[in-house]
Amino acid sequence: MTSLHTTRVRRRRLGAVAAVAGLLATLLTATTAAATPDPGDAPAERGSVTKSEQAEARAAITGGDIPGVDEIVHSSNIKHLTNVPKGALKGLNTDLAFQGKYAYVGNYDGFVIYDISKPKKPRTVAQVLCPGSQNDISVSGNLLFLSTDSSRSDDSCSSTSQPATEKSSWEGMKIFDISNKRQPKYIAAVETACGSHTHTLVPEGKNVYVYVSSYSPDETFPDCKPPHDGISIIKVPVKAPQKARIVNFPVLFPDGGNPGAPENPGVSKTTGCHDITVLPSKDLAAGACMGDGLLFSIKDPENPKIIDRVQDNVNFAFWHSATFNQGADKVVFTDELGGGGAATCNAEIGPERGADGIYDIVGKGDQRKLVFRSYFKIDRHQADSEVCVAHNGSIIPVKGRDLMVQAWYQGGISVWDFTDSTKPEEIAFFERGPVTLDRVTTAGPWSAYYYNGHIYSSDIAKGFDVLKLNDRRTDPAERVELDELNAQTQPDYFAR
């Protein structure tokens, strides 16, 4: 791991106190999507931290091993330009999308549009109240897509929480017209089985296809019964989005997917997908599907075809997200160990769990295979009150190199190089100290993406951050300008 200069000397060698057995229990008893805290609630408390553990953390702060509460530290090649605190929407911040001079930030209470024409001084353009976790967000032309994965009384933006056991409850995809950024208009909705935890856009001429990922069915849920072994595909006519409809539900796991425990202890049972990333220029998609990783062809976007499928029943607990390199010969999969609710960046968990898995794509056509090469995980151990795990990131476009920026919740933001897929190394970082020392809290960057010369981060608790990266290895990326970026719809950065 490359040594980095920081704004203060830190060793980050705190010992872990969360027992592995307890962590696995947290994962295996994860609640269904319908049990997600109602939007607007404070982050769920994940457990207390003992007085001795608090004392250890305070000693580590005093000794410079970890930053103090809310203290910002970073490598010398990153500059923190600004933070925009949350405004009217006080829920958890989630994912990001970009278009021209605008950034769109999902929030459990709705979404926010920022004008980022001056990255040092983002300006709030609109705040749209529309509760429905997670409010995963994407944009395409004049359309904005918003996922709802909590059971609601109806499909309106004034709905209330309602049990998934009620047949009348609604979950799914909402569509807005954003031709007027100051006044987005809610224009359509499509209900999907088990809701929409995340979604991925596949633009194709007159239509935009939406791959909806959802999971955790239950026999008591009228609209989300098992088996739930595929994804919902919505077809949205660009000129008539009100006619959006489901056109297919392809079965991705004919054998039912990874069985999870007890056959594979500590691994999630596959009951759908968590997230899908597409590379339209190569007609490829990679699926992170709970207990499985997928590579599939999207030449026919209504009928994706599985090319290869992999599992890691030793170190991966929950396949969370995927990112292609620009050459389409590698995929980075993330493992959300602990479901985003546990302190997993510590010595006890180690460097191979709650990490990224780097896979090479070898072979040609439908004979291509995913071949595991290595793991990558930040080596800055966090306090036992800090939820930390691999989360959303994007490619930094530099020809000849595979570079990525990635969010790690309270582990902060990491910039790393996986050009040699067997020897990944971190080259820059940014993070804040613990939110508190007396309980385990969910906070920190949900997503961190590179867009037109800057890194933008959606911090779950703190709002919207803008960073500037100054490094000879990443500087060439500043010459790449995009008109639009949804990180899960990866562009061909150099075909322009």
Side-chain angles (χ1 to χ4, degrees), residues 306-451:
I306 302 298
I307 296 175
D308 195 24
R309 170 181 162 195
V310 290
Q311 296 178 352
D312 180 347
N313 294 322
V314 176
N315 288 314
F316 258 48
F318 188 94
W319 295 66
H320 175 274
S321 52
T323 303
F324 286 100
N325 70 334
Q326 180 61 32
D329 58 5
K330 298 173 189 173
V331 181
V332 174
F333 288 102
T334 67
D335 174 24
E336 193 182 40
L337 177 67
T344 70
C345 297
N346 51 45
E348 183 170 357
I349 298 302
E352 296 183 344
R353 302 179 63 234
D356 296 319
I358 305 167
Y359 286 75
D360 284 353
I361 302 174
V362 300
K364 297 182 179 180
D366 290 349
Q367 303 305 310
R368 283 171 287 189
K369 298 291 183 183
L370 291 165
V371 179
F372 173 77
R373 294 304 187 200
S374 66
Y375 297 105
F376 171 77
K377 187 175 181 179
I378 60 173
D379 65 353
R380 297 178 307 282
H381 292 164
Q382 308 296 305
D384 296 309
S385 61
E386 294 181 277
V387 168
C388 173
V389 74
H391 221 245
N392 295 344
S394 74
I395 291 296
I396 298 177
V398 175
K399 285 186 176 181
R401 302 188 77 98
D402 294 324
L403 303 169
M404 184 173 175
V405 58
Q406 186 177 2
W408 288 79
Y409 276 27
Q410 288 186 81
I413 295 168
S414 177
V415 178
W416 57 289
D417 187 330
F418 62 104
T419 305
D420 182 343
S421 53
T422 66
K423 296 180 180 179
E425 63 174 1
E426 185 174 71
I427 62 174
F429 74 89
F430 167 91
E431 67 167 288
R432 289 181 171 90
V435 173
T436 182
L437 298 178
D438 61 0
R439 64 186 183 280
V440 181
T441 55
T442 299
W446 179 290
S447 299
Y449 300 140
Y450 186 92
Y451 178 70

Side-chain angles (χ1 to χ4, degrees), residues 247-262:
V247 293
N248 197 10
F249 186 89
V251 174
L252 305 180
F253 305 98
D255 65 352
N258 197 318

Side-chain angles (χ1 to χ4, degrees), residues 183-246:
Q183 294 183 323
K185 295 181 180 179
Y186 181 18
I187 56 174
V190 179
E191 186 171 13
T192 56
C194 300
S196 176
H197 193 70
T198 66
H199 67 267
T200 304
L201 303 187
V202 185
E204 192 188 59
K206 297 179 180 179
N207 302 297
V208 175
Y209 289 94
V210 186
Y211 289 0
V212 176
S213 296
S214 55
Y215 54 94
S216 292
D218 191 288
E219 289 289 357
T220 66
F221 299 164
D223 299 320
C224 182
K225 290 181 177 291
H228 184 71
D229 45 19
I231 58 173
S232 298
I233 298 180
I234 300 173
K235 183 178 182 179
V236 184
V238 173
K239 293 185 177 181
Q242 296 85 350
K243 296 181 179 180
R245 62 186 178 90
I246 295 174

Side-chain angles (χ1 to χ4, degrees), residues 31-196:
T31 55
T32 65
T36 301
D38 197 56
D41 287 349
E45 292 191 8
R46 304 294 183 174
S48 60
V49 178
T50 68
K51 290 184 178 180
S52 63
E53 293 159 5
Q54 293 177 45
E56 180 186 4
R58 291 190 181 94
I61 291 171
T62 301
D65 292 333
I66 66 172
V69 172
D70 284 341
E71 179 186 2
I72 290 177
V73 296
H74 55 83
S75 53
S76 59
N77 53 357
I78 274 186
K79 184 177 181 180
H80 185 213
L81 298 184
T82 192
N83 168 263
V84 182
K86 294 179 186 178
L89 305 184
K90 301 300 184 182
L92 283 66
N93 270 0
T94 59
D95 210 2
L96 287 161
F98 304 90
Q99 193 177 66
K101 66 177 185 178
Y102 298 101
Y104 303 81
V105 181
N107 180 285
Y108 271 52
D109 285 343
F111 65 92
V112 181
I113 303 176
Y114 293 101
D115 181 335
I116 54 171
S117 55
K118 297 179 180 180
K120 292 182 179 180
K121 295 181 179 180
R123 183 171 56 85
T124 301
V125 176
Q127 300 182 76
V128 178
L129 178 64
C130 195
S133 66
Q134 301 177 139
N135 278 337
D136 192 54
I137 193 168
S138 296
V139 292
S140 181
N142 287 328
L143 300 178
L144 180 147
F145 300 84
L146 205 64
S147 285
T148 299
D149 194 34
S150 57
S151 187
R152 312 295 297 178
S153 56
D154 56 50
D155 64 2
S156 74
C157 284
S158 59
S159 66
T160 57
S161 181
Q162 182 168 292
T165 52
E166 296 285 339
K167 177 61 180 173
S168 63
S169 295
W170 185 91
E171 299 180 67
M173 180 61 55
K174 294 169 181 168
I175 305 173
F176 291 76
D177 182 332
I178 52 170
S179 52
N180 181 345
K181 303 296 187 293
R182 293 183 178 277
Q183 294 183 323
K185 295 181 180 179
Y186 181 18
I187 56 174
V190 179
E191 186 171 13
T192 56
C194 300
S196 176

